[in-house]
Amino acid sequence: MEELPVSRAVWCGKHWIYLDEVGSTNDYLKKGDFPDGTVVIAGRQTAGKGRRGKSWSGAPTGQALYLSVLFHSMKPDDMGLLPLLCGLAAARTLGDAARIKWPNDVLLHQKKVCGILCESRIQGSQVSAVCGIGINLNQPAAFFVENDLPHATSLLSVTGEERPVLTEAGMLLDELEPILDQYRREGFAPFLPAYQALCATLGRQVQVIRAQQTVTAQAVSIAPDGGLICSKDGETFVIRAGEASVRGLYGYL
Ligand code: BTN
């Protein structure tokens, strides 16, 4: 067990578990019986999960943050919004240059520095969310070349700043707790302006890749339910995370 992360958070991470190695921090929280706000941090993941069945592991201990947090008493609508709220919290810890690629990838200089996977967990009548956040902190630029990750980067590679994993964990929980408190009281509306201000997808041409077809549209704004409002030929439509994959026409955005 390492030292507690320095954090002002009261309930988010009050109960926390550090594991030197685990398959996936998300899976760990999905299996046990833990209180609201429980946080799991791992030094290494051996079967870390990304979105769309991709894997998320690989960085040596101390170079990346692998953190999952459990939120109890969630409603189905929350599952579409939590990724955006976690993205907002993560972006705020990564400095003024951090931007969000809808719905929740955090970018530095148009490369991915943080990925988020929120999953639901149902136990009896209790619906909970497991929000997994992976942040590339201290990998050198060569790590991404050697691992054929041309669209990924780390805080160190971009800023030259080395940040201990538990310091980042504390910063993240400090951002996440007030966001969750306010969200539980007031919903997503108060976060829309801040999210939109950081969302690098807006105002860009995006390819909406659906199973049957790919269309090019303009990303316009964020819907109250967290969907991406797009326009094409004067018509607007909303796409939801998981429904379509949005790729910028140029570069990673
Ligand atoms: C993505 O962008 O594909 C999502 C990546 C999510 C990775 C994090 S790391 C901590 C947590 N545990 C997992 O197995 N996945 C998430």
Side-chain angles (χ1 to χ4, degrees):
M1 180 72 130
E2 299 194 17
E3 278 183 22
L4 276 164
V6 182
S7 165
R8 294 185 304 272
V10 176
W11 59 268
C12 196
K14 181 176 188 311
H15 179 67
W16 78 290
I17 299 157
Y18 181 87
L19 305 164
D20 289 328
E21 184 178 291
V22 71
S24 154
T25 53
N26 269 26
D27 286 347
Y28 188 91
L29 274 184
K30 279 169 85 179
K31 283 180 194 137
D33 194 11
F34 305 104
D36 189 37
T38 297
V39 166
V40 172
I41 300 168
R44 265 171 40 83
Q45 293 194 124
T46 53
K49 302 187 298 185
R51 292 172 64 216
R52 293 192 198 85
K54 293 191 180 152
S55 72
W56 188 279
S57 307
T61 300
Q63 294 194 357
L65 174 65
Y66 303 114
L67 178 148
S68 296
V69 54
L70 180 68
F71 298 123
H72 283 325
S73 307
M74 288 290 144
K75 299 178 295 300
D77 286 355
D78 297 328
M79 296 312 298
L81 291 166
L82 283 171
L84 282 71
L85 295 171
C86 291
L88 185 60
R92 285 178 174 170
T93 69
L94 290 166
D96 293 344
R99 295 289 177 273
I100 303 171
K101 174 177 178 278
W102 179 86
N104 60 12
D105 287 353
V106 182
L107 312 179
L108 280 174
H109 295 193
Q110 301 200 2
K111 290 188 172 184
K112 180 163 168 172
V113 67
C114 165
I116 292 165
L117 176 68
C118 295
E119 301 180 275
S120 54
R121 184 189 106 137
I122 299 165
Q123 283 190 329
S125 59
Q126 171 87 273
V127 178
S128 307
V130 173
C131 296
I133 303 172
I135 303 183
N136 295 327
L137 291 173
N138 302 317
Q139 298 102 316
F143 174 88
F144 302 100
V145 177
E146 284 156 15
N147 289 279
D148 194 23
L149 297 167
H151 300 310
T153 192
S154 65
L155 184 68
L156 176 71
S157 317
V158 172
T159 65
E161 175 193 343
E162 252 192 81
R163 185 176 291 173
V165 165
L166 294 185
T167 302
E168 174 62 26
M171 292 170 74
L172 185 59
L173 299 178
D174 285 351
E175 294 291 345
L176 204 47
E177 182 176 278
I179 287 177
L180 254 291
D181 280 337
Q182 191 178 359
Y183 172 69
R184 280 171 162 164
R185 282 193 317 267
E186 300 169 32
F188 185 63
F191 299 100
L192 255 177
Y195 181 89
Q196 296 200 128
L198 291 183
C199 184
T201 308
L202 300 183
R204 292 185 178 255
Q205 293 253 292
V206 292
Q207 280 182 307
V208 182
I209 305 158
R210 291 191 161 128
Q212 309 300 334
Q213 54 169 357
T214 299
V215 294
T216 301
Q218 182 87 4
V220 180
S221 61
I222 303 298
D225 68 356
L228 181 66
I229 301 174
C230 296
S231 90
K232 183 175 172 59
D233 303 331
E235 290 197 10
T236 60
F237 56 96
V238 181
I239 61 168
R240 294 193 170 71
E243 222 180 44
S245 164
V246 180
R247 272 275 132 125
L249 293 180
Y250 310 109
Y252 183 66
L253 284 174

